[in-house]
Amino acid sequence: MINLAYFPVTRAGDKLGLAALRLTTGELAWRASPAVASAAPASVIPGVIFSGASNGTMYAYSTTDGKMLWQFDTAKEFPTVNGVLATGGALNAAGPVVAGGMLFVPSGYCDLGWGARGNVLLAFAAE
């Protein structure tokens, strides 16, 4: 069993994204490099790590090799249960939360300095 730790990489340049490091040696196991990175923390469940980007894209990566499994654009308008239009934005503050078989993504909360503001909490369930 490989024990990895996952870290968002937020420095400017071509090494943005997400890095997995081996806990026993500190060596880089893999790196995922989306076009835009994020300052938000990532969330891990067995087999999948969820990490958002400053442009509002939520990504799911394989914990084994960093291969992208899924992505969703949250930086758009959404109808809501109370009929008030909500708008997503940057994923730069709180990270995604996994609970009760659901993935919850706060989109548009960017008070850490950059990104589009919004006001939506998205809930995803497995199909």
Side-chain angles (χ1 to χ4, degrees):
M1 180 167 135
I2 299 174
N3 291 317
L4 300 175
Y6 307 95
F7 299 94
V9 180
T10 60
R11 300 278 177 185
D14 61 351
K15 295 184 179 182
L16 294 171
L18 186 68
L21 301 180
R22 287 185 174 51
L23 291 173
T24 54
T25 64
E27 74 177 312
L28 180 67
W30 55 258
R31 179 188 300 276
S33 297
V36 178
S38 174
S43 295
V44 181
I45 61 173
V48 181
I49 181 166
F50 297 99
S51 179
S54 296
N55 67 356
T57 304
M58 174 56 57
Y59 295 99
Y61 298 100
S62 166
T63 56
T64 304
D65 58 11
K67 178 182 175 189
M68 187 189 317
L69 304 171
W70 172 80
Q71 68 180 40
F72 184 84
D73 178 14
T74 73
K76 57 186 179 182
E77 293 182 340
F78 294 92
T80 63
V81 294
N82 66 357
V84 176
L85 194 63
T87 304
L91 302 175
N92 275 337
V97 174
V98 179
M102 301 281 292
L103 171 67
F104 298 95
V105 178
S107 179
Y109 303 94
C110 61
D111 290 332
L112 295 179
W114 63 90
R117 290 178 183 252
N119 63 341
V120 68
L121 175 64
L122 300 170
F124 297 89
E127 294 183 336

